[in-house]
Amino acid sequence: MTKKIAPHEKVTEQHEAIPLAEEQAEVSTQRVVDRRIRISRSTTTAEKLLETELWHEEVKIEHIEKNEPVEAGYFPEVRQEGDVLIVPVIEEQVEIIRHYILKEEVHIHKLKKSEQFQQKVTLRSQEIEINKEDT
């Protein structure tokens, strides 16, 4: 069937809506108890007497000033005298001795001499002359 449209009528297009389908997925977890474990702990105490003899030692450290020169190549050893352990402490010191020695002298003499000198030279000179004219 054909429909005729008058020239003054407007043509309108019709649209049809088609519904679309959408799928959604959901993931979930569930806890399942398949066994239970029970743990118990107990502690027992017992007293026991321990006996022993305890010793302790104390030390006293003394610094004894010596300031004694030591021969070259000789170093005192650590030694024990009764209940005393002696540890020598050595310090190396440098001694600088300065001597002044006159090595040489430099003597400078002034000598005066006179001699005759002759030489031909060309000397230049300029002169200027100024004249005034009256008109």
Side-chain angles (χ1 to χ4, degrees):
M1 154 173 174
T2 341
K3 183 177 180 187
K4 290 190 179 181
I5 300 173
H8 63 280
E9 285 184 43
K10 284 188 178 179
V11 177
T12 58
E13 293 183 24
Q14 292 182 353
H15 296 290
E16 288 186 29
I18 300 174
L20 299 175
E22 178 181 334
E23 290 183 339
Q24 293 182 351
E26 187 176 307
V27 176
S28 64
T29 59
Q30 182 177 357
R31 184 176 286 196
V32 176
V33 178
D34 63 344
R35 71 182 81 130
R36 294 184 188 271
I37 299 174
R38 179 173 299 205
I39 299 173
S40 30
R41 177 172 57 183
S42 64
T43 305
T44 58
T45 60
E47 290 185 18
K48 186 176 180 181
L49 180 62
L50 298 177
E51 291 184 37
T52 187
E53 186 175 356
L54 300 177
W55 290 87
H56 73 276
E57 292 181 333
E58 294 180 1
V59 294
K60 176 183 167 190
I61 298 175
E62 255 184 291
H63 293 269
I64 308 294
E65 285 282 326
K66 291 301 230 176
N67 289 323
E68 296 174 359
V70 177
E71 292 180 23
Y74 168 72
F75 296 103
E77 299 285 327
V78 176
R79 66 186 187 279
Q80 183 87 32
E81 291 182 5
D83 290 340
V84 179
L85 179 66
I86 299 173
V87 180
V89 178
I90 302 295
E91 176 183 71
E92 185 176 53
Q93 294 181 350
V94 177
E95 184 176 344
I96 298 174
I97 300 173
R98 201 178 273 190
H99 297 281
Y100 295 98
I101 298 172
L102 178 61
K103 185 175 178 179
E104 67 177 292
E105 291 180 338
V106 177
H107 293 221
I108 301 172
H109 300 274
K110 280 186 175 181
L111 301 174
K112 291 185 179 180
K113 287 185 175 182
S114 67
E115 63 182 57
Q116 293 296 320
F117 176 76
Q118 293 180 352
Q119 182 176 357
K120 287 187 180 179
V121 293
T122 305
L123 298 176
R124 297 179 207 138
S125 69
Q126 296 178 337
E127 291 180 11
I128 188 167
E129 185 178 315
I130 300 172
N131 291 321
K132 291 185 180 183
E133 291 183 11
D134 292 325
T135 52

